[in-house]
Amino acid sequence: MELLVGEQGELDRNLLQRCLELARQAIGQTAPNPLVGCVIVRDGQIVGEGFHPKAGQPHAEVFALRAAGDRAQNATLYVNLEPCNHYGRTPPCSEAIVAAGIRRVVVGMVDPNPQVAGSGLDRLRAAGIEVVVGVEEADCQTLNEAFVHRILHHRPFGILKYAMTLDGKIAATTGHSGWVTGAAARNRVHHLRSTCDAVIIGGNTVRKDNPHLTTHDVSDHNPLRVVMSRSLDLPTVAHLWNTKTVSTIVFTGLGANSEVQETLTNQGVEVVRLDSLTPTQVMADLYDRGCLSVLWECGGMLTAQAIDQRCVQKVLAFIAPKIIGGVGAPSPVGDLGLVAMTEALTLERLEWEAIGSDFLLQGYLKVKSEGSIQNSKEVPQ
């Protein structure tokens, strides 16, 4: 491996960034586990690297230690997340690090999981290993923001994505919406889906757009496709019902159309009836299925409910330099019950990016208080 030179602090930061680079190779595939990369350095040379590929597989530290072999003795180990210290599907990494004779460990961030939460660091220090924590912590937190949110709030991390014209429309007054943005922006959405575990739409989107909701071959990983439809007023032929390569779940109410349910079930679609068909209940089910991040690609009414029920944490708005007009043309977000501009929800940690002729604005919804914004309405048909 390449000889490493430079000040210790700079080296630590560069090698933590290498850990993040390795971890990203498994993005979208580790749920419910975090993204973790590991690098081992001895005498100024990288002697071992690894990343966690998916749940049930060895952790990043194990792969890196295997690659290093005897060269791990008195080496420095870099990892973006605190090594685990408990027995789960795999043995604790802290014990493997101690047994390998590692001299120094540099960690990006403490694991928020109560089963770890500093105990891995304590175990390393108790073994006489020098431990440094918090190197490149902001980037480490961002990479695993979905994992952290899931651990702290017991629900998946919600991402709202929509494309709109410069005057805030997602379609014309006729409902025609193909295409608001250009090919480059749409390709970016395909990549975004590859990083998520599930993508949610409402029944109206199925009826009007007949979407695939796949990554369109930009990645081997496709998210679980989720439809929310209270009455199951859905077409019996649609791209989403082709489940040979990508699974689809339809969440519906107790009084839904039983004939359509039977037809969908026969096509391999899982139909789940809920007493209360709300974004909160659907996110709870997806949490139980192990999802980390969920992408909302729905219409304005369902989007408003997802926001209202705190099921959206991050927003990606693709903005096209077009004006379509129309008083009745749909907008990205339906009624939130807010009547003054001073009540408007705001985004923080904003980022702007030009993508072809379009622009992407992304940021995080600023949480003002606990609970919902207003009384929830019913999920659309």
Side-chain angles (χ1 to χ4, degrees):
M1 289 288 185
E2 182 182 355
L3 184 66
L4 302 172
V5 294
E7 297 294 331
Q8 188 63 62
E10 180 185 1
L11 280 176
D12 288 351
R13 291 190 295 272
N14 289 340
L15 287 163
L16 249 298
Q17 286 295 333
R18 175 57 182 165
C19 291
L20 297 177
E21 183 181 343
L22 290 166
R24 290 188 188 97
Q25 294 185 49
I27 196 163
Q29 303 177 65
T30 62
N33 290 354
L35 292 160
V36 184
C38 181
V39 177
I40 298 175
V41 174
R42 177 173 168 177
D43 298 328
Q45 289 188 314
I46 295 176
V47 296
E49 292 185 331
F51 65 92
H52 177 53
K54 64 179 182 178
Q57 292 294 312
H59 291 182
E61 298 94 322
V62 173
F63 283 112
L65 288 169
R66 287 176 181 174
D70 294 341
R71 295 173 296 176
Q73 186 76 32
N74 294 318
T76 296
L77 181 145
Y78 295 84
V79 64
N80 59 290
L81 186 69
E82 174 185 2
C84 64
N85 192 46
H86 65 285
Y87 284 88
R89 296 187 187 182
T90 58
C93 290
S94 57
E95 296 300 336
I97 293 170
V98 171
I102 292 290
R103 176 184 61 83
R104 180 172 179 260
V105 174
V106 180
V107 177
M109 60 175 281
V110 175
D111 193 330
N113 189 336
Q115 291 183 302
V116 187
S119 65
L121 304 179
D122 292 340
R123 174 68 184 97
L124 299 179
R125 291 187 178 109
I129 297 173
E130 178 189 351
V131 177
V132 179
V133 185
V135 177
E136 299 296 270
E137 183 173 10
D139 286 350
C140 293
Q141 290 279 354
T142 298
L143 178 69
N144 275 309
E145 60 188 2
F147 172 73
V148 173
H149 181 84
R150 187 179 193 276
I151 289 293
L152 297 180
H153 301 282
H154 303 286
R155 65 164 60 179
F157 184 76
I159 303 170
L160 170 63
K161 164 265 162 187
Y162 58 83
M164 70 178 188
T165 60
L166 198 59
D167 55 339
K169 309 298 184 181
I170 60 174
T173 54
T174 61
H176 184 264
S177 60
W179 296 99
V180 174
T181 54
R186 297 198 299 274
N187 184 262
R188 179 63 170 271
V189 172
H190 300 156
H191 282 281
L192 174 62
R193 287 177 187 158
S194 73
T195 69
C196 295
D197 303 305
V199 54
I200 300 179
I201 61 171
N204 199 43
T205 302
V206 180
R207 291 188 292 269
K208 287 190 173 183
D209 298 342
N210 190 23
H212 290 83
L213 298 185
T214 65
T215 60
H216 292 263
D217 298 323
V218 304
S219 169
D220 292 334
H221 169 70
N222 285 291
L224 174 68
R225 302 176 299 185
V226 177
V227 178
M228 293 177 64
S229 175
R230 179 165 49 86
S231 64
L232 279 187
D233 178 19
L234 299 171
T236 54
V237 177
H239 296 309
L240 294 179
W241 313 152
N242 182 354
T243 59
K244 291 181 180 179
T245 57
V246 188
S247 298
T248 301
I249 300 177
V250 175
F251 288 95
T252 188
L254 296 180
N257 189 317
S258 58
E259 292 183 3
V260 172
Q261 177 175 345
E262 182 179 0
T263 300
L264 296 182
T265 301
N266 289 338
Q267 295 182 74
V269 177
E270 180 182 355
V271 179
V272 178
R273 293 176 178 264
L274 297 176
D275 292 339
S276 177
L277 182 59
T278 63
T280 298
Q281 291 302 313
V282 170
M283 290 292 264
D285 183 284
L286 295 178
Y287 170 85
D288 290 339
R289 294 172 188 264
C291 290
L292 282 177
S293 57
V294 171
L295 184 62
W296 293 87
E297 288 197 48
C298 44
M301 188 180 297
L302 184 52
T303 292
Q305 294 171 28
I307 293 174
D308 172 57
Q309 295 175 32
R310 310 299 189 199
C311 294
V312 172
Q313 283 67 53
K314 189 175 185 178
V315 177
L316 278 76
F318 292 84
I319 305 169
K322 301 176 181 178
I323 295 176
I324 188 67
V327 175
S331 63
V333 183
D335 184 17
L336 287 171
L338 307 178
V339 297
M341 194 56 66
T342 52
E343 297 178 287
L345 306 181
T346 58
L347 298 183
E348 53 189 2
R349 290 178 281 163
L350 300 176
E351 294 182 17
W352 276 100
E353 180 183 352
I355 303 178
S357 62
D358 305 306
F359 289 89
L360 169 61
L361 169 64
Q362 57 180 314
Y364 298 82
L365 273 174
K366 186 175 181 179
V367 179
K368 294 183 178 181
S369 62
E370 293 297 325
S372 63
I373 298 170
Q374 61 172 359
N375 292 325
S376 299
K377 299 177 181 179
E378 288 188 327
V379 167
Q381 298 275 340

